[in-house]
Amino acid sequence: MANRLSGIEELFENEDFVRWVLKPDEAGDLFWEAWLRQYPEKAGILEKAKEWVLLVYGSEKQDGETLKNKNIAPRLWERIKTGIDDEMPPSRVIPLHPGSFSSQRPLRKKLLLYYGVAAAAIAGLILAGGWLFQGGASYKNETPKQAAALVVHASGNSNLECVNTGALPQPVYLVDGTRILLGGNSSLRYEKFLNKDRREVILEGEAFFDVVKDAVRPFYVHTRGLVTRVLGTSFRIIARKEDEKITVAVKTGKVGVRTEQPDTKDQEYILQANQEVVFNQHLQAAGRPVVADSELLQKTDLPDNSFSFSDAPVGTILNKLSQTYSVTIVYDKQSFSKCQVTVSLDALSLTEKLDLLCKILGVRYRIEDDKVYMEGKGCQ
Amino acid sequence: MTDEELYLYVPDPLWERFKNGDRHAFAQLYNDHVDNLLLYGMKVIQKQQIVEDAIQDLFVELWRSRENLQSVRSVSFYLVKSLRYKLFRHEKTRMEYFMEDVPAHHPVLQDSAIEIKILKEEELLNQQKVRRAIQRLPRRQQEVINLRFYQGFTNDQIAGIMDINYQSAGNLIHKAILALRKQLGYALLYLFFCILLLF
């Protein structure tokens, strides 16, 4: 790919180069600066190629200006307005929630089917994301009218499935402190305490991950035959069922991507920051990792789910922990009811949070099966 | 799978407002994209009337079906692809587009004398050369050049818009660039010569 770009035409044909010239961005600056450092002798070619891209752009723009001078647009708009006003006056019906209508339907149906069988057996812990994440005041929802639509299914064992039935991304917090922005119409499955020597999640659809570093327990994302090995980083994966392709784009750090079959000779693709790689339906990469589409690495702000409390009842804190991580916390409400705590538990994993909290309270906790048990007297 | 779904992603806020029936958002969408669509349409088919009609149809239909539309990641991709589809509903357009080797003339895209004067002379020289060279290319190549070098679409998106596969999109761009170089023969040769001297 980029290192084979020897002459002007190669640059001319390189989509990333052209896009960068037309719309310079930081990721592109970084990439092409690095490219120049690697091939300093090609500085002249780069400049010329840039010039030519701009010449072609200018030529198109000139055509556009010529058309613009004919004032077609306002005239056309009048025609469109007439066309629209022929229509019956728009009904006053409030648009349905996106999660309960239209394109979201197929996935929902499928999931209902999937769960319908076991529905009775499932100790149905269904939490509406709306109030789960009320704490996220700084989260700028683009369309605040739409309610959050994260549905968490918990089966008898400690597996969780988070399904975002809406169109907007929803945050998911893992017990290790990893934060995930789950895309619309996507789902994520994982063992809620990540109690294995590898941290593993299964993604269907799209998500942005901000993974906490843990050298001892690497983080793996499984998506339709591909596995992304994470070395402590943030990145996006798009693996929608209806697409044929799977895209992995890295924002910070490094990830490795390969097919699930370990016996094949398929290489592992190592992606650095600001790179992406696209796989087709046969899980073949379209090429070496290239500069990531900057769009993929935007809108990654996770809501500010603050765990700072001042003089808060312990019950409030435990409730929030329980909601954030979808775990059940068992404690003696009577004896804990008098405890008020001032503490900041931000940027800690669930166990670190519990450790600190228990230290303050002078109690202990244990995790058994799929529940957290608080042991001790609380405050008297 | 459809190409629109490929670009389902973080919904465009303006698009979402329009879908909810906001007429201002709809007007804004039109204003943001109409110039581009007109230019693109004229690259595909030189008949201004057909392009105008197709754009009118496109926006009237968009408004009428707004509640059933999907969220899109790239509005420009969606609109360009939809316009192309509309243009090609005309048998005559398709015929012309696929049959024609080299466009005969360019009635719409001629400069007025004033515009030419405004441009700097040196710039004009190259710019005009490039422009004339592009105008002599077959429609498909003009289209692909507009999509790549003006609208900045990726191969993937170009493939989606033109309903061809990724490889074909790459080939088409390659062909267009080769043809352009041929047209620009001397200018580019001169350029390469300069580069050779540099090293």
Side-chain angles (χ1 to χ4, degrees):
Chain A
M1 300 270 345
N3 52 356
R4 282 194 278 109
L5 299 169
S6 50
I8 281 204
E9 274 153 1
E10 278 83 351
L11 281 174
F12 220 59
E13 274 188 50
N14 183 293
E15 57 189 346
D16 295 314
F17 176 76
V18 173
R19 278 160 74 86
W20 172 63
V21 173
L22 297 182
K23 221 178 145 194
D25 62 351
E26 214 179 309
D29 291 347
L30 284 172
F31 179 87
W32 291 106
E33 274 164 25
W35 186 81
L36 268 185
R37 272 198 301 279
Q38 202 174 349
Y39 309 101
E41 73 280 5
K42 288 183 181 158
I45 288 181
L46 187 104
E47 276 315 306
K48 278 288 167 200
K50 226 175 179 175
E51 213 172 278
W52 276 90
V53 170
L54 291 174
L55 266 179
V56 175
Y57 173 83
S59 154
E60 293 291 300
K61 198 178 163 70
Q62 228 177 310
D63 283 351
E65 295 295 324
T66 311
L67 272 174
K68 224 175 178 171
N69 288 340
K70 301 179 98 179
N71 263 331
I72 304 169
R75 208 163 22 83
L76 197 48
W77 179 243
E78 290 307 315
R79 280 166 62 192
I80 291 166
K81 270 200 328 211
T82 318
I84 285 171
D85 292 335
D86 287 346
E87 169 194 44
M88 296 289 288
S91 57
R92 287 269 126 216
V93 177
I94 295 154
L96 281 165
H97 186 279
S100 61
F101 196 55
S102 74
S103 62
Q104 272 71 31
R105 209 171 227 170
L107 176 73
R108 245 202 146 190
K109 228 180 192 167
K110 207 196 94 242
L111 283 166
L112 283 177
L113 210 87
Y114 188 79
Y115 281 95
V117 186
I122 291 171
L125 173 69
I126 296 180
L127 301 169
W131 56 274
L132 249 178
F133 302 110
Q134 271 176 351
S138 73
Y139 188 37
K140 284 178 197 70
N141 241 343
E142 279 172 347
T143 43
K145 267 179 283 176
Q146 296 177 332
L150 193 73
V151 182
V152 182
H153 303 272
S155 47
N157 54 34
S158 60
N159 290 326
L160 285 182
E161 168 150 10
C162 300
V163 183
N164 182 0
T165 58
L168 292 173
Q170 297 293 338
V172 174
Y173 301 94
L174 303 189
V175 292
D176 64 338
T178 291
R179 302 177 310 162
I180 298 162
L181 206 47
L182 185 62
N185 218 359
S186 300
S187 74
L188 199 67
R189 279 183 287 155
Y190 56 96
E191 193 274 313
K192 77 170 95 160
F193 291 110
L194 301 172
N195 249 341
K196 292 185 186 134
D197 48 0
R198 318 156 58 131
R199 298 173 286 169
E200 290 181 288
V201 303
I202 301 166
L203 169 72
E204 239 179 70
E206 169 175 354
F208 181 80
F209 293 83
D210 190 357
V211 173
V212 164
K213 235 182 200 153
D214 182 348
V216 186
R217 293 190 315 142
F219 194 98
Y220 293 85
V221 184
H222 299 271
T223 30
R224 288 189 13 221
L226 275 187
V227 54
T228 304
R229 182 171 61 103
V230 177
L231 319 155
T233 174
S234 65
F235 59 101
R236 184 184 297 284
I237 298 183
I238 308 174
R240 295 194 173 276
K241 252 222 170 98
E242 62 272 24
D243 287 5
E244 283 172 349
K245 59 174 196 176
I246 301 178
T247 306
V248 181
V250 176
K251 186 166 184 176
T252 61
K254 231 193 216 178
V255 310
V257 189
R258 58 171 303 148
T259 51
E260 295 271 13
Q261 280 83 31
D263 50 325
T264 60
K265 278 178 285 171
D266 294 345
Q267 69 179 115
E268 181 171 44
Y269 290 86
I270 302 288
L271 278 86
Q272 313 271 0
N274 292 313
Q275 288 191 329
E276 71 172 28
V277 67
V278 179
F279 292 85
N280 64 14
Q281 71 267 44
H282 309 300
L283 301 178
Q284 289 153 340
R288 301 292 316 160
V290 293
V291 176
D293 180 353
S294 57
E295 218 180 314
L296 293 180
L297 303 177
Q298 285 163 9
K299 314 218 171 156
T300 56
D301 287 342
L302 281 138
D304 184 20
N305 191 20
S306 169
F307 273 92
S308 292
F309 301 91
S310 73
D311 287 333
V314 166
T316 307
I317 301 176
L318 293 176
N319 263 343
K320 180 148 190 190
L321 287 174
S322 158
Q323 286 164 14
T324 300
Y325 301 110
S326 303
V327 298
T328 308
I329 301 177
V330 181
Y331 63 100
D332 181 0
K333 289 203 169 72
Q334 204 82 64
S335 65
F336 278 89
S337 65
K338 287 177 196 138
C339 308
Q340 292 212 331
V341 184
T342 297
V343 66
S344 174
L345 302 170
D346 288 318
L348 297 176
S349 70
L350 172 64
T351 50
E352 287 167 333
K353 284 183 170 85
L354 287 169
D355 284 340
L356 186 54
L357 193 61
C358 288
K359 210 170 201 173
I360 293 169
L361 295 170
V363 300
R364 281 203 295 215
Y365 74 92
R366 68 190 157 88
I367 294 176
E368 211 172 285
D369 300 327
D370 60 335
K371 293 188 179 72
V372 176
Y373 295 89
M374 304 292 287
E375 295 171 327
K377 280 281 167 226
C379 315
Q380 295 302 329
Chain B
M1 185 205 77
T2 70
D3 297 292
E4 279 84 358
E5 279 164 345
L6 256 169
Y7 295 94
L8 263 179
Y9 182 63
V10 179
D12 183 286
L14 190 64
W15 183 261
E16 296 300 306
R17 272 170 52 207
F18 143 67
K19 274 177 56 190
N20 285 328
D22 181 339
R23 267 186 95 136
H24 294 294
F26 182 61
Q28 183 71 44
L29 269 180
Y30 174 83
N31 283 328
D32 286 354
H33 294 278
V34 65
D35 291 334
N36 234 354
L37 292 173
L38 275 167
L39 176 61
Y40 171 76
M42 291 298 288
K43 297 277 167 182
V44 173
I45 176 78
Q46 294 164 268
K47 307 235 165 21
Q48 190 180 322
Q49 199 51 51
I50 291 178
V51 175
E52 281 186 31
D53 289 348
I55 293 177
Q56 180 187 353
D57 275 5
L58 171 63
F59 277 89
V60 170
E61 269 174 41
L62 275 178
W63 179 257
R64 288 189 175 158
S65 57
R66 62 188 178 273
E67 280 169 2
N68 301 319
L69 290 174
Q70 302 214 320
S71 296
V72 294
R73 167 170 157 197
S74 165
V75 175
S76 58
F77 171 86
Y78 181 87
L79 292 177
V80 166
K81 187 172 163 70
S82 307
L83 175 62
R84 191 178 197 274
Y85 178 77
K86 290 235 172 293
L87 288 172
F88 278 9
R89 278 188 319 188
H90 297 271
E91 183 63 26
K92 259 185 80 188
T93 312
R94 269 206 309 277
M95 291 270 286
E96 257 186 61
Y97 176 83
F98 287 109
M99 300 299 289
E100 169 210 54
D101 274 327
V102 175
H105 62 297
H106 309 274
V108 183
L109 305 179
Q110 299 300 328
D111 282 313
S112 68
I114 305 152
E115 278 173 74
I116 293 172
K117 271 184 204 154
I118 297 167
L119 290 160
K120 275 186 268 163
E121 206 168 316
E122 191 190 354
E123 201 181 331
L124 180 79
L125 194 73
N126 278 322
Q127 195 85 84
Q128 283 303 90
K129 255 188 198 155
V130 171
R131 193 168 170 214
R132 272 204 300 276
I134 292 173
Q135 287 178 352
R136 273 186 236 117
L137 299 178
R139 298 240 78 95
R140 259 169 101 72
Q141 295 181 8
Q142 286 197 41
E143 179 186 8
V144 94
I145 285 200
N146 176 269
L147 293 173
R148 162 58 58 84
F149 293 101
Y150 188 66
Q151 310 209 41
F153 285 122
T154 60
N155 281 9
D156 228 0
Q157 288 172 314
I158 291 172
I161 288 166
M162 299 181 76
D163 261 331
I164 50 182
N165 66 34
Y166 186 88
Q167 189 58 45
S168 310
N171 291 345
L172 190 57
I173 290 159
H174 182 73
K175 243 166 97 182
I177 290 172
L178 277 188
L180 192 59
R181 194 188 74 162
K182 225 170 155 187
Q183 292 280 351
L184 287 167
Y186 288 115
L188 267 182
L189 272 179
Y190 172 73
L191 181 71
F192 287 135
F193 185 65
C194 290
I195 289 161
L196 281 176
L197 284 182
L198 278 172
F199 306 115

